Amino acid sequence: MSAAIARDLRARYGEEYRILRASSGAQALDLLSRLVLRSQPVALVASDQRMPGMSGIELLSRVRGEVPDAKLLLLTAYADTDVAISAINDIGLDHYLLKPWDPPEERLYPVVDDLLSDWHNAHPEQTNDVRVIGHRWSQATDLVKTFLANNHVPYVWLDVERDEEAARLLDLAGARPDDLPLVLVPDGEALRAPTPLAVATALGLRTSAERDLYDLCIVGGGPAGLAAAVYAASEGLSTVVVEQDSPGGQAGHSAAIENYLGFPRGLSGADLAHRALAQARRFGAELVLARDVVALESRGPVRAVRLDGVDDIEARSVVVATGVSYRRLEAPGIDELAGRGVHYGSNASQAAACEGDEVYVIGAANSAGQAALNLARYAARVTLLVRGDSLSASMSQYLVERVRLEERVRVLCRTEVVGASGDGHLERLTLADRHTGATTEVKAAWLFVYIGASPRTDWLGADVVRDSHGFVVTGHDLVTGPAARAWHLSRPPFALETSLPGVFAAGDVRSDSMKRVASAVGEGSMSVYFVHRYLATI
């Protein structure tokens, strides 16, 4: 079996990777030890489950201890499927593959391609990384770092107060304190206190549209927007996606999405966004980054999406998929410390920066639970603050159990933040018991907020009807209920169509939507069907 898998892997990957074969578990462990001692990276280890001396899962468990970031692939028979599924939780198995895997072009290589792609994303080459130099508690620095992380741009972070290399680079650049953050781009000029738009431009990311007219303009690059882009572009519609921040939207900040169909081990929001974006680009969809949409206009049969500055994008149809943002926390001191320890949502780089610190998370939905578990990998302790009486009312049960079992996470129910303070960055929080009103001051270096859902839809103007909370009203609701008589054409509105014909809404931004990643993907995909029907009428 080892000879067969080695043969097939060499045929496909031999030019790029060194393929090493072992005939037993003991031999494999010996080989692995020599590679580790030589500091040679190991991208993937594939093992048969049934071997003499030890099982494949036993071997891969040992491998996980030696090289924790290597991808693990188990080759197994149908009878061992339950054992393989258990190994996903027990040892972090990345994938199991039923034998035989013939033809490898259909059954083996797609799996290995995905695993190696994920490994490369986690281990980018460091020689050409962007370097960001600034203060740990700077809001401007945090904005740049977040933009790079959310757009999957590898970067090296240098703290001016901790890294000697930072001082040397600042001196070489002749930078002043008000130039921070200083962003060093390979083969480019040093960027001094840049905006995300300036960073995107310097990196060659697209910040303006190529065409004069598109079949479809999608506003928002979250799950709904990217799903719409994949289906529209794959069906031949000229498609452009406008995203102010980063692909993935709010879901892209999730540390883990574990109940998404087809991913038994779960995947991060960033990984889902990265895959979806690659898929959309493969079919020819354009992505315009770091541009804010400020208005929507009707120009006869064309809809114009106006961007900040002087640009606009004209399209024959529009899908609004701007999702929602976390609601701002109203408490004294919070706004002054935003970006200086107080954050709305979190990403992997922020989690790593919390090492050894006291961290607080506000929220009781799945996003807050996943964030608490991810932050607990680095923080000394994570405290999850819940306004209600329990987590069970708003968090999936599997996640409630994981939060309860994590020793470094504690849950405080009936508790809210009523104040924050610190000298230049967050140092203290004031907590209040919602039943008694009693307050307590605690030390805190970080606060991550995951509360509520606030749509940004004011740019749509008066032609697009919204409900009392700002969510977009669509379809049948335009002719019944509070929004009745908002529709003025003789034909009924298509499902997901707004009160402005040819403009559709999908995902969390839509009134009465489910507010789940899978439903957003479904609505984004479905919107393209109605876009086709609309385009056939004009």
Side-chain angles (χ1 to χ4, degrees):
M1 187 62 68
S2 66
I5 190 70
R7 177 200 64 217
D8 287 342
L9 291 176
R10 284 195 184 101
R12 176 67 171 258
Y13 307 102
E15 292 186 5
E16 187 177 355
Y17 294 89
R18 184 182 175 195
I19 311 297
L20 301 175
R21 174 187 165 225
S23 58
S24 69
Q27 186 181 3
L29 291 173
D30 181 64
L31 178 59
L32 187 69
S33 297
R34 284 186 274 131
L35 293 172
V36 171
L37 288 173
R38 296 170 184 170
S39 297
Q40 295 183 358
V42 178
L44 181 144
V45 177
S47 174
D48 196 336
Q49 167 63 1
R50 299 189 178 186
M51 300 185 299
M54 70 175 70
S55 70
I57 290 176
E58 289 173 328
L59 168 63
L60 295 179
S61 177
R62 299 272 296 276
V63 170
R64 181 63 81 203
E66 292 285 343
V67 244
D69 52 356
K71 295 297 177 182
L72 305 183
L73 174 63
L74 183 69
L75 309 172
T76 186
Y78 181 79
D80 296 323
T81 300
D82 288 344
V83 176
I85 292 174
S86 297
I88 292 175
N89 291 325
D90 295 340
I91 67 169
L93 180 69
D94 293 289
H95 202 94
Y96 68 88
L97 190 66
L98 295 179
K99 299 178 291 185
W101 55 83
D102 288 328
E105 292 78 11
E106 296 179 10
R107 302 192 57 198
L108 175 64
Y109 297 151
V111 171
V112 175
D113 284 346
D114 271 355
L115 293 176
L116 292 178
S117 175
D118 289 348
W119 187 86
H120 274 290
N121 289 337
H123 300 80
E125 294 293 336
Q126 299 296 310
T127 53
N128 292 318
D129 278 356
V130 173
R131 286 172 289 178
V132 179
I133 306 168
H135 291 284
R136 183 188 188 198
W137 303 114
S138 161
Q139 185 175 22
T141 299
D142 179 70
L143 187 65
V144 169
K145 290 167 62 181
T146 299
F147 178 80
L148 292 172
N150 290 347
N151 283 281
H152 311 283
V153 177
Y155 70 92
V156 174
W157 157 242
L158 298 171
D159 190 332
V160 293
E161 297 177 349
R162 299 182 177 186
D163 297 302
E164 295 181 3
E165 178 71 1
R168 186 183 71 84
L169 293 172
L170 290 176
D171 185 56
L172 288 174
R176 301 171 298 176
D178 56 0
D179 289 333
L180 298 179
L182 186 71
V183 180
L184 304 179
V185 180
D187 304 320
E189 296 292 327
L191 306 178
R192 301 167 190 269
T195 63
L197 178 58
V199 174
T201 302
L203 293 173
L205 302 178
R206 190 179 302 282
T207 58
S208 60
E210 282 191 334
R211 301 186 183 211
D212 295 326
L213 179 66
Y214 293 84
D215 292 322
L216 175 62
C217 176
I218 301 165
V219 184
L226 291 176
V230 168
Y231 277 86
S234 69
E235 293 171 10
L237 297 180
S238 56
T239 304
V240 61
V241 182
V242 184
E243 171 55 49
Q244 179 185 8
D245 180 22
S246 60
Q250 193 181 87
H253 297 168
S254 178
I257 302 172
E258 297 190 77
N259 54 1
Y260 192 71
L261 185 66
F263 291 86
R265 190 169 180 257
L267 75 169
S268 70
D271 189 24
L272 177 62
H274 186 68
R275 291 167 182 262
L277 181 59
Q279 196 172 16
R281 282 174 167 162
R282 174 193 166 204
F283 290 119
E286 291 182 31
L287 179 69
V288 174
L289 275 175
R291 300 299 300 274
D292 190 17
V293 175
V294 297
L296 175 67
E297 295 179 356
S298 292
R299 298 175 182 173
V302 170
R303 305 292 177 251
V305 173
R306 289 180 49 201
L307 308 181
D308 55 330
V310 297
D311 294 346
D312 58 30
I313 298 175
E314 291 190 337
R316 298 195 294 153
S317 62
V318 172
V319 169
V320 179
T322 46
V324 295
S325 57
Y326 294 115
R327 198 170 65 240
R328 310 300 289 184
L329 179 62
E330 301 294 337
I334 290 293
D335 287 345
E336 293 81 0
L337 295 171
R340 297 181 173 90
V342 175
H343 301 273
Y344 292 86
S346 63
N347 56 45
S349 64
Q350 288 170 323
C354 297
E355 187 166 4
D357 292 335
E358 282 282 336
V359 176
Y360 284 76
V361 176
I362 302 178
N366 283 10
S367 55
Q370 292 289 5
L373 291 172
N374 186 48
L375 292 163
R377 297 166 55 201
Y378 303 93
R381 183 173 63 174
V382 177
T383 301
L384 185 59
L385 303 176
V386 180
R387 287 170 54 88
D389 293 331
S390 71
L391 289 174
S392 301
S394 52
M395 188 178 292
S396 297
Q397 189 58 37
Y398 80 92
L399 196 51
V400 172
E401 294 301 325
R402 289 188 58 196
V403 169
R404 287 174 177 166
L405 291 173
E406 174 53 59
E407 293 181 353
R408 286 199 281 184
V409 176
R410 67 168 176 166
V411 179
L412 296 182
C413 294
R414 301 177 296 277
T415 306
E416 60 186 346
V417 172
V418 295
S421 60
D423 184 11
H425 62 88
L426 178 65
E427 294 177 309
R428 294 170 297 279
L429 290 173
T430 303
L431 308 182
D433 186 303
R434 299 191 69 235
H435 283 192
T436 67
T439 61
T440 306
E441 188 172 85
V442 296
K443 291 182 178 180
W446 304 86
L447 175 67
F448 295 95
V449 182
Y450 291 84
I451 56 172
S454 176
R456 182 184 172 267
T457 54
D458 55 310
W459 61 276
L460 290 169
D463 290 339
V464 177
V465 174
R466 278 93 76 192
D467 65 18
S468 59
H469 299 288
F471 293 92
V472 179
V473 179
T474 59
H476 183 69
D477 290 340
L478 293 171
V479 294
T480 60
R485 296 188 297 277
W487 184 257
H488 303 296
L489 296 186
S490 58
R491 69 166 176 84
F494 296 118
L496 306 185
E497 192 169 21
T498 71
S499 55
L500 181 59
V503 176
F504 300 81
D508 290 1
V509 74
R510 194 178 65 81
S511 179
D512 202 30
S513 61
M514 188 175 173
K515 309 295 187 288
R516 283 285 190 262
V517 173
S519 63
V521 170
E523 289 192 7
S525 307
M526 187 170 65
S527 69
V528 177
Y529 169 73
F530 296 111
V531 165
H532 280 296
R533 293 183 64 182
Y534 168 76
L535 292 178
T537 69
I538 62 174

